Amino acid sequence: QGKFTLLRDTRTDGSFLVHHFLSFYLRAGCKVCFVALLQSFSHYSIVAQKLGVNLAAAKEQGQLVFLEGLKSCLDLLFGEEEQPGQPSPLQFLSRSPRELRALFDFVRVSLTPCARDSWKGPVLLVDDLSVLLSLGAAPVSVLDFIHYCRASVCCQLQGNVVVLVHSNEDSEDEENELVVNSLCHHSDLILWAEGLATGFCKDVHGQIKIIKRLSLRQAAEQDLVQIYQYKIQDRNVTFFARGLSAAVL
């Protein structure tokens, strides 16, 4: 509890990590606020069914609060009027200055426990943060949003925050790399999925670097780094040490 986990991908798609954490926390009985900026609800629902989780049922029971970013963006950009008393969490698209206060308020209200809630610790899941930059939010606004979410969810509510970001070390997108590097410094745990430097392989889809930020808690400690390779299958993901894939053995 009270941890900030950063999911980072480079030269590959790290969305399998988002699906894992979503199904994991729902099965654990946690209250989940899912800010889905990349895909539709039906997409996440289909994948979750393969993992044994019913997202529609979780929404009806109040366990899952789902923000469908694609739909919210279209409603704002094509003139759908906001309902009185219910401003859009993505209202920064049509207003100036482009701050993310409304999005933070949505998260805070969604995860603040009420008397009838019987769920375990609250969880904020974001897929993916880089989309906010593409929509015109400034890097400082994105970092402020995550800072306030950590203060509210991790510190006050003793819950967890899990965020996915895309990165490319050779990219000229300086704003995105600034956000990624800043988040790495504040993360308790980093799961970094990378594509293979040697290219495509049917038996190895990439490698994942697990960085446990021990130095964040104790300055004298060194971060613990573990590296595994993985293969994504229809209903799960297989992990193995480097050089021990079926292609080699």
Side-chain angles (χ1 to χ4, degrees):
Q1 292 182 331
K3 302 294 184 183
F4 175 52
T5 301
L6 180 67
L7 312 179
R8 180 178 180 181
D9 62 18
T10 304
R11 302 189 309 275
T12 190
D13 183 7
S15 59
F16 69 94
L17 294 169
V18 174
H19 297 300
H20 159 74
F21 278 101
L22 177 60
S23 59
F24 170 78
Y25 283 121
L26 289 177
R27 281 198 297 264
C30 297
K31 177 70 174 288
V32 178
C33 176
F34 188 13
V35 178
L37 303 171
L38 200 60
Q39 300 285 354
S40 65
F41 177 79
S42 59
H43 170 83
Y44 295 105
S45 181
I46 290 171
V47 177
Q49 282 184 337
K50 293 182 179 181
L51 301 177
V53 176
N54 189 328
L55 294 192
K59 277 185 66 176
E60 292 177 1
Q61 296 167 3
Q63 183 184 9
L64 173 65
V65 180
F66 188 90
L67 172 61
E68 191 164 1
L70 292 174
K71 183 177 183 300
S72 297
C73 288
L74 290 174
D75 289 345
L76 278 170
L77 294 175
F78 291 99
E80 289 287 335
E81 295 185 359
E82 297 180 2
Q83 297 180 8
Q86 294 182 338
S88 170
L90 301 181
Q91 62 182 230
F92 74 93
L93 286 169
S94 58
R95 297 184 182 181
S96 183
R98 294 198 164 191
E99 61 179 20
L100 301 176
R101 180 185 296 271
L103 184 58
F104 167 70
D105 288 338
F106 171 81
V107 172
R108 179 179 53 81
V109 171
S110 299
L111 293 180
T112 299
C114 59
R116 63 179 182 276
D117 279 348
S118 59
W119 311 113
K120 297 180 182 178
V123 175
L124 169 63
L125 182 60
V126 182
D127 181 23
D128 81 77
L129 199 67
S130 303
V131 174
L132 292 176
L133 294 172
S134 301
L135 293 175
V140 66
S141 297
V142 175
L143 292 174
D144 283 347
F145 167 68
I146 293 299
H147 170 75
Y148 282 107
C149 286
R150 288 178 58 219
S152 177
V153 179
C154 296
C155 299
Q156 294 181 2
L157 302 177
Q158 284 299 296
N160 296 302
V161 175
V162 182
V163 173
L164 172 69
V165 290
H166 295 299
S167 70
N168 189 344
E169 295 168 331
D170 300 326
S171 173
E172 296 182 357
D173 189 348
E174 296 180 358
E175 291 187 345
N176 187 73
E177 294 309 302
L178 171 65
V179 170
V180 172
N181 292 332
S182 298
L183 293 178
C184 286
H185 286 296
H186 297 286
S187 304
D188 296 286
L189 175 68
I190 303 173
L191 302 181
W192 189 353
E194 299 176 280
L196 296 176
T198 53
F200 174 78
C201 176
K202 67 176 183 178
D203 293 302
V204 183
H205 291 156
Q207 75 171 19
I208 185 166
K209 186 182 297 183
I210 304 172
I211 306 173
K212 296 180 180 178
R213 298 291 317 287
L214 302 181
S215 60
L216 194 65
R217 302 295 179 185
Q218 298 178 345
E221 293 289 337
Q222 288 189 337
D223 294 341
L224 178 62
V225 180
Q226 298 171 293
I227 299 178
Y228 298 95
Q229 292 180 333
Y230 64 86
K231 179 181 180 180
I232 300 175
Q233 298 168 321
D234 189 41
R235 296 178 183 272
N236 58 15
V237 182
T238 303
F239 295 91
F240 39 83
R242 288 181 291 183
L244 297 182
S245 69
V248 176
L249 300 179

